[in-house]
Amino acid sequence: MRRIRDKGENEPVENAQQAFDNYADQKHSRDYVQAFEADLQSNLEVIAKQIADESWQPKGYTEKVIFERKLRKLAKAPIEDHVLEAATILPYEKAIYDYTTWRAPAVKPGMGTHGLFRFLRNEIYRHTQQEIAYYVAIDAHHYFPLMDHAILKDALMRLVKPGKLLTFFYKVVDSYPQGAPLGIKVAQLFGQIYLARFDRLAIRFFDIGRDPDKLAYWTQRYVTDRICTARTPEDYRDLCQGPGYLSRKFQTYVEDGVKHYFRFVDNILFLHADKTALHIILELAIMHLARDWHVEVNKDYNVRPTWTGIRLAGYVFYLDHVESSKRNKKELARRIHELQKKGMDEEQIRIRLSSLLGFVKHSDCINLLKSLGMEKSLGKIIKKRRVRPPFKGMNPDQKVPFSSVVTKCEQKLMGGG
């Protein structure tokens, strides 16, 4: 891919206007957005001028600490910096997204979590159970806070030719003492760009096939490990065919590359038919991440059978269906019960929890929604429409069985006695 070369496409005021519209979408009620809009034209002209003459300097960040399963430190920037950063990268966003492989769909418009969901689900459904029999998922420890500035700048240099855009990126990198300032749009792009070369290296089986010495070493490791870890009848059948057969089998894996690979920012997933080969892939991945990208991997990884379920991005992917994670299911049930206690009906709850319900509905969750009373099926809608309220002005939801009224009256009478 050719490097990006900026030719002043981000300097017009119209570009800054478009960037502000994108940033302020659904934020017009916020006070700092309204204050910026009060003198919008003048502010946009200042931003366009700063982009053109490269006079912009980051105004600093305000630290905000949140806790979502773990402690996170966000860097809040003023709105002027947000709009200027968005305007600077706006004409080049598509080229930046195209630089990363489709197997890393985070941040990209129209993809993100749902893109990863579709890709991984289709990958599992499309191939046989033998081809994706095992998986290993690894994630980086404090990925954004521990990014190496020198490595990040080198990655940006590979993507962008020297000019105003590269200078802008360097200013954002140097504006934070260590790592990337999590909380701004440019940092999200950094998260994709930082490991973009690793994605392609991993798909090529870390290029060990290009070096005869490396290939010989890892082939010997594969044969030795297969002999030491043989357990199943299939393993013993392979061993009976001799070391030459095992060597050719591993070299075929190397030639084919890692076909089933995905990355979601700092979460990396490998799937493979051979458990021993997957252990070697895991070892190579950890080595390259630590040596070439200074990325430390959390220690909770392990090679597991795919039929046990792949837990990633809030879902659990099985060979024949997809479930929502236990945390999301418990959160949905808790919030539905809280709103039901407040007297809200089903439609009001659905509107209030539309985001969480929409996230869960991507999985196979019909039984979960039925148990929570949130199923929205055609039969349920028709049955509700057929209900005839006994009195004028009543809603169908207000009608209750006569037996329940009698039961309540009997309980009151018995309690009064």
Side-chain angles (χ1 to χ4, degrees):
M1 176 182 172
R2 292 184 177 181
R3 291 194 293 172
I4 300 171
R5 182 176 182 179
D6 59 294
K7 299 178 181 179
E9 298 92 340
N10 53 11
E11 296 178 7
V13 178
E14 293 76 14
N15 178 72
Q17 177 69 58
Q18 181 62 46
F20 172 75
D21 292 339
N22 295 341
Y23 169 78
D25 185 31
Q26 300 184 5
K27 300 177 185 175
H28 293 283
S29 60
R30 302 182 183 181
D31 54 354
Y32 58 88
V33 176
Q34 293 177 354
F36 189 85
E37 284 182 307
D39 195 7
L40 180 60
Q41 188 61 31
S42 176
N43 289 330
L44 294 179
E45 289 175 357
V46 170
I47 286 174
K49 181 178 180 301
Q50 289 179 335
I51 294 174
D53 60 16
E54 300 183 87
S55 61
W56 173 76
Q57 293 293 334
K59 296 181 175 61
Y61 306 94
T62 303
E63 186 179 273
K64 180 180 180 180
V65 179
I66 62 173
F67 189 85
E68 294 179 357
R69 290 191 297 170
K70 63 181 180 181
L71 191 69
R72 301 177 189 271
K73 293 183 178 180
L74 303 182
K76 295 181 63 177
I79 184 174
E80 294 83 1
D81 285 3
H82 278 293
V83 177
L84 186 140
E85 291 167 2
T88 303
I89 64 175
L90 182 59
Y92 316 106
E93 277 190 54
K94 187 179 185 303
I96 295 172
Y97 295 141
D98 291 342
Y99 175 68
T100 58
T101 175
W102 66 269
R103 295 180 179 273
V107 182
K108 298 180 181 180
M111 297 180 71
T113 305
H114 293 159
L116 176 70
F117 175 90
R118 294 192 302 270
F119 294 151
L120 181 54
R121 179 197 59 189
N122 296 343
E123 191 89 352
I124 293 174
Y125 288 0
R126 187 184 303 120
H127 296 91
T128 62
Q129 296 184 22
Q130 290 75 20
E131 190 171 349
I132 53 170
Y134 300 96
Y135 82 94
V136 61
I138 58 178
D139 63 295
H141 178 70
H142 296 315
Y143 178 58
F144 284 97
L146 298 181
M147 275 187 185
D148 189 295
H149 282 188
I151 297 174
L152 179 56
K153 287 182 176 180
D154 180 67
L156 292 169
M157 175 67 78
R158 292 172 180 268
L159 174 62
V160 183
K161 290 185 177 181
K164 294 181 179 180
L165 181 61
L166 186 62
T167 302
F168 160 77
F169 280 140
Y170 283 180
K171 287 181 180 179
V172 177
V173 173
D174 294 333
S175 68
Y176 212 61
Q178 183 180 4
L182 186 59
I184 62 175
K185 185 174 183 178
V186 179
Q188 298 174 0
L189 297 179
F190 288 167
Q192 289 294 90
I193 296 169
Y194 193 74
L195 290 180
R197 281 198 309 120
F198 174 83
D199 296 334
R200 294 179 173 83
L201 183 66
I203 293 171
R204 298 194 305 265
F205 213 114
F206 301 97
D207 289 340
I208 64 173
R210 300 181 181 181
D211 188 327
D213 294 335
K214 289 182 180 179
L215 182 60
Y217 170 78
W218 289 109
T219 302
Q220 183 180 5
R221 276 283 307 274
Y222 174 79
V223 174
T224 304
D225 291 351
R226 280 298 301 271
I227 295 173
C228 295
T229 60
R231 293 182 180 179
T232 66
E234 182 182 354
D235 291 336
Y236 293 122
R237 283 196 297 269
D238 286 350
L239 295 185
C240 290
Q241 300 191 52
Y245 171 79
L246 295 177
S247 299
R248 289 191 299 272
K249 189 173 185 177
F250 177 73
Q251 290 170 8
T252 302
Y253 292 152
V254 174
E255 291 174 3
D256 293 341
V258 182
K259 297 180 180 179
H260 312 293
Y261 168 85
F262 296 95
R263 178 172 69 90
F264 194 75
V265 189
D266 60 339
N267 293 280
I268 300 171
L269 175 68
F270 297 95
L271 297 100
H272 207 275
D274 194 316
K275 181 169 62 174
T276 306
L278 194 55
H279 275 286
I280 291 176
I281 292 171
L282 173 63
E283 187 174 341
L284 286 166
I286 294 174
M287 180 191 69
H288 279 278
L289 286 172
R291 185 190 67 187
D292 301 332
W293 283 272
H294 298 174
V295 172
E296 180 183 353
V297 175
N298 289 328
K299 306 300 182 183
D300 57 349
Y301 57 83
N302 199 2
V303 175
R304 298 180 173 90
T306 306
W307 63 264
T308 60
I310 302 172
R311 288 156 180 81
L312 188 66
Y315 298 101
V316 186
F317 297 85
Y318 293 96
L319 295 170
D320 56 352
H321 68 285
V322 182
E323 295 182 3
S324 183
S325 66
K326 182 178 179 180
R327 182 175 65 89
N328 286 334
K329 289 190 286 188
K330 290 176 67 175
E331 176 69 11
L332 179 63
R334 182 183 65 81
R335 296 183 65 178
I336 287 175
H337 291 154
E338 286 179 354
L339 296 178
Q340 286 174 343
K341 288 181 180 179
K342 293 180 180 180
M344 292 188 180
D345 60 24
E346 182 180 335
E347 190 61 28
Q348 290 174 325
I349 294 174
R350 186 174 285 110
I351 294 171
R352 180 69 68 87
L353 303 180
S354 59
S355 177
L356 185 55
L357 277 169
F359 189 88
V360 171
K361 278 186 175 181
H362 280 78
S363 61
D364 302 313
C365 62
I366 185 64
N367 291 327
L368 171 65
L369 297 179
K370 281 183 178 179
S371 64
L372 295 175
M374 296 301 295
E375 178 198 8
K376 191 173 183 180
S377 63
L378 181 61
K380 188 175 181 180
I381 294 171
I382 293 174
K383 184 178 179 181
K384 185 176 179 179
R385 289 178 178 174
R386 287 178 178 174
V387 175
R388 295 183 178 180
F391 303 105
K392 187 177 181 180
M394 286 185 63
N395 296 325
D397 294 332
Q398 294 177 298
K399 184 177 180 180
V400 296
F402 183 73
S403 58
S404 64
V405 178
V406 174
T407 302
K408 288 183 180 179
C409 292
E410 288 178 350
Q411 290 175 351
K412 287 183 179 181
L413 289 172
M414 291 176 66

